[in-house]
Amino acid sequence: MAGYADDLALAHVLADSADAISMARFRALDLKVESKPDLTPVSDADTAVERAIRATLARARPRDGVLGEEFGRTAANAGPGNRYWVIDPIDGTKNFVRGVPIWATLIALMEGDTPVAGLVSAPALGRRWWAGRGLGAFAGRNQHSATRISVSSVRKLTDASFCYASLNGWADNGRLQQMTDILLGVWRSRAYGDFYGYMLLAEGALDAMAEPELSLWDMAALIPIVTEAGGKITDLDGRPAADNSSVIGTNGLLHESVLTALARRA
């Protein structure tokens, strides 16, 4: 377990560098924004953050590979291995470019197909969340000012605070009616979106979060944090979430209810 503690300490160093870059560009009048082939935005802050993280990892973890949203996969300098880092330099770029402070840098360490450590840093909110397998989940302003976090104990969907991203994706997924029925039946629903809903889930501030499709860099850092906080994350079929899959995160107690509610109808 000590190895993950060391990796998390490095993740905090990476996040310090990322925060300095991204905050200097947040709401900058000369921020450069382009459209990627999938028509999602990318700013000069996205690329600068990922380059900085990659440069540090190349020096500090030459035996680890890297997968980043902006520059793809890079093999380890020291040869093939089963460990690699997954980077989303700015999760919530649309928020970032519009001046909304809900965005974060996501940093995860994978062993094979399993995320074993994750860190989410949201500098405009002044908050971080992190976890390593077997080490628990924590939140605070930094590594030295943190508290352990855990999911809620809500057991019924009718009592739950339910979070989602947008309804368009559920329409494309063919489950808009199922999602609408959930939103009308729960105690409270809010569309925080991106990383933030999952972090509120890990803190026990809400009880479930669902999205129709995420890439690996969108979810890898979130999985250790939610699971170490006592929650559960799967795809819509209850299997481990994978690249470009749907994601359901819950406090664990609500998981089967959410899976059933979102199941395809004959």
Side-chain angles (χ1 to χ4, degrees):
M1 297 305 176
Y4 299 136
D6 291 342
D7 291 318
L8 279 173
L10 173 59
H12 279 279
V13 173
L14 298 173
D16 289 341
S17 173
D19 290 354
I21 295 168
S22 58
M23 284 301 290
R25 302 301 296 149
F26 183 49
R27 294 176 175 163
L29 296 179
D30 62 342
L31 182 71
K32 296 179 177 62
V33 183
E34 299 177 351
S35 290
K36 293 190 283 190
D38 63 0
L39 301 182
T40 59
V42 57
S43 72
D44 58 59
D46 292 80
T47 54
V49 167
E50 186 168 324
R51 285 192 180 101
I53 291 175
R54 285 174 174 273
T56 300
L57 286 173
R59 296 190 300 271
R61 291 291 190 273
R63 295 184 180 277
D64 297 346
V66 180
L67 172 65
E69 178 176 8
E70 306 308 334
F71 300 112
R73 186 179 293 272
T74 302
N77 292 338
N82 75 326
R83 285 173 39 121
Y84 65 100
W85 297 79
V86 179
I87 310 300
D88 188 343
I90 296 181
D91 185 57
T93 299
K94 292 178 182 177
N95 283 346
F96 184 89
V97 301
R98 289 297 301 270
V100 178
I102 303 174
W103 50 270
T105 295
L106 278 50
I107 302 168
L109 175 64
M110 306 281 292
E111 288 186 349
D113 295 329
T114 303
V116 294
L119 182 147
V120 172
S121 185
L125 300 178
R127 195 158 179 82
R128 285 183 187 175
W129 301 262
W130 61 92
R133 190 167 64 183
L135 299 177
F138 298 85
R141 293 189 65 86
N142 54 57
Q143 192 174 14
H144 307 292
S145 176
T147 56
R148 191 157 186 162
I149 57 175
S150 62
V151 296
S152 72
S153 57
V154 173
R155 294 179 175 272
K156 297 180 180 179
L157 266 180
T158 52
D159 297 331
S161 180
F162 191 95
C163 188
Y164 62 104
S166 69
L167 293 179
N168 291 344
W170 291 106
D172 294 341
N173 186 271
R175 306 192 201 207
L176 179 59
Q177 187 60 58
Q178 290 94 316
M179 177 56 66
T180 302
D181 290 345
I182 290 176
L183 300 182
L184 292 174
V186 296
W187 170 69
R188 191 169 192 251
S189 63
R190 288 292 184 271
Y192 298 114
D194 300 317
F195 73 95
Y196 196 43
Y198 299 96
M199 297 302 95
L200 293 175
L201 167 65
E203 291 185 347
L206 56 83
D207 312 302
M209 169 83 177
E211 292 187 88
E213 184 178 33
L214 291 179
S215 297
L216 184 59
W217 46 73
D218 296 314
M219 72 176 81
L222 314 178
I223 293 173
I225 298 171
V226 171
T227 56
E228 285 292 317
K232 187 172 183 178
I233 288 186
T234 69
D235 68 8
L236 285 173
D237 297 313
R239 301 171 300 197
D243 193 23
N244 295 317
S245 76
S246 57
V247 174
I248 297 174
T250 73
N251 63 1
L253 301 171
L254 292 169
H255 210 80
E256 290 304 317
S257 296
V258 176
L259 286 175
T260 300
L262 280 174
R264 289 195 184 278
R265 298 171 182 172

